[in-house]
Amino acid sequence: MRKLQFGKVFMLVISTLIVIPLAMADQIQLYQQNGYSYSNGGEFTLKIVESSVGPDLNVNWGFYSDSARNIGSYDPSFQTFCLEYTEYFVQGITYNVAISDRAIAGGVSQGGDPISIGTAWLYLQFATGKLSNYDYTSSGRNADAGALQATIWWLEDEGSDPGKSNKFRNLVYTQFNDPKADNNGVYPVAVLNVTTVNPGNFRQDQLVLVPEPSTILLLGAGLIGLGLFGRRRFKKN
């Protein structure tokens, strides 16, 4: 009977860990900073405001390199890019967010739109500080932010092809035959669906790093190990 109960606990922990990244809720603020944005696109600084309303976005924050988090005076924060060209937010306003694998196309929640494999790969490289030829210094960062944003909008069918002069557009073609194919969890990047606190209207979707499945399983194994250690101590007592 005890073995059966422990098996149930094991499955509950694993299933919970897998669901959490896909159903996260938190509150955030969005900002555009000089030197990191380009017109109405480029890098957006996402500040974590409130974590008591759901699992903590600081978990995701930990996956970012120093070149893509805590920029300016918005700690804790990380840099992100938007997915819709014609949807907007107000700086400094507190929004609710939830993590999913789909953007809310045109503000419509039914179905949504999966992000492309090209977008997911580019953002993973950017957020971990490994995006080739991206100027992470202040001298040319805003121009590269604009070029990367234009590429993401094109990949998500929100903008036209930026052309062969765009180095990130060219880079993504060296990685994939079809960079617009759905990511479907291939790379650990998801969508932050941003909504107003009340009454819950949709705003610009943003990108976010999420734990890879191997990380989730390691975390689950650690929790299980702690559980086994606790049971052994209990038996000894």
Side-chain angles (χ1 to χ4, degrees):
M1 181 65 179
R2 287 184 178 178
K3 289 183 178 180
L4 178 61
Q5 289 177 340
F6 180 72
K8 289 181 178 179
V9 171
F10 177 85
M11 292 305 298
L12 178 61
V13 169
I14 293 299
S15 61
T16 300
L17 289 169
I18 292 173
V19 168
I20 283 174
L22 299 178
M24 187 174 294
D26 216 325
Q27 289 187 325
I28 58 101
Q29 292 175 353
L30 288 166
Y31 299 90
Q32 281 188 292
Q33 300 190 65
N34 291 333
Y36 299 90
S37 58
Y38 191 88
S39 185
N40 61 337
E43 294 182 36
F44 295 87
T45 300
L46 186 148
K47 180 181 179 181
I48 303 167
V49 176
E50 177 62 61
S51 299
S52 63
V53 296
D56 193 350
L57 276 177
N58 280 293
V59 173
N60 303 76
W61 174 92
F63 290 93
Y64 286 77
S65 71
D66 288 341
S67 58
R69 66 181 181 183
N70 289 357
I71 292 175
S73 57
Y74 301 108
D75 300 356
S77 66
F78 55 82
Q79 302 300 99
T80 183
F81 288 82
C82 71
L83 293 174
E84 291 94 8
Y85 184 76
T86 58
E87 294 179 22
Y88 307 95
F89 66 87
V90 178
Q91 295 195 90
I93 297 294
T94 298
Y95 293 103
N96 290 335
V97 292
I99 289 182
S100 75
D101 65 341
R102 294 172 182 267
I104 306 301
V108 178
S109 60
Q110 292 84 2
D113 184 17
I115 59 172
S116 69
I117 195 169
T119 291
W121 181 81
L122 283 171
Y123 185 67
L124 173 64
Q125 301 305 308
F126 161 80
T128 53
K130 301 174 182 177
L131 184 55
S132 177
N133 294 324
Y134 194 92
D135 188 350
Y136 288 96
T137 68
S138 59
S139 60
R141 186 156 176 163
N142 62 331
D144 278 0
L148 181 53
Q149 179 70 85
T151 302
I152 290 172
W153 278 335
W154 162 65
L155 288 168
E156 300 306 311
D157 293 324
E158 291 283 331
S160 59
D161 188 336
K164 293 182 179 180
S165 63
N166 186 304
K167 57 186 174 182
F168 304 117
R169 179 262 195 199
N170 297 335
L171 181 62
V172 80
Y173 265 125
T174 67
Q175 297 294 320
F176 309 101
N177 291 327
D178 182 10
K180 289 191 175 185
D182 292 345
N183 181 49
N184 286 334
V186 175
Y187 295 102
V189 173
V191 179
L192 274 177
N193 298 137
V194 180
T195 59
T196 55
V197 174
N198 189 12
N201 296 318
F202 288 104
R203 290 295 181 261
Q204 271 183 337
D205 289 319
Q206 306 287 327
L207 293 167
V208 62
L209 287 185
V210 293
E212 296 187 70
S214 58
T215 304
I216 295 171
L217 291 176
L218 284 173
L219 178 58
L223 291 174
I224 296 301
L226 288 174
L228 286 171
F229 178 72
R231 290 181 76 242
R232 287 177 180 175
R233 289 193 61 186
F234 179 78
K235 285 183 178 181
K236 287 182 180 180
N237 292 335

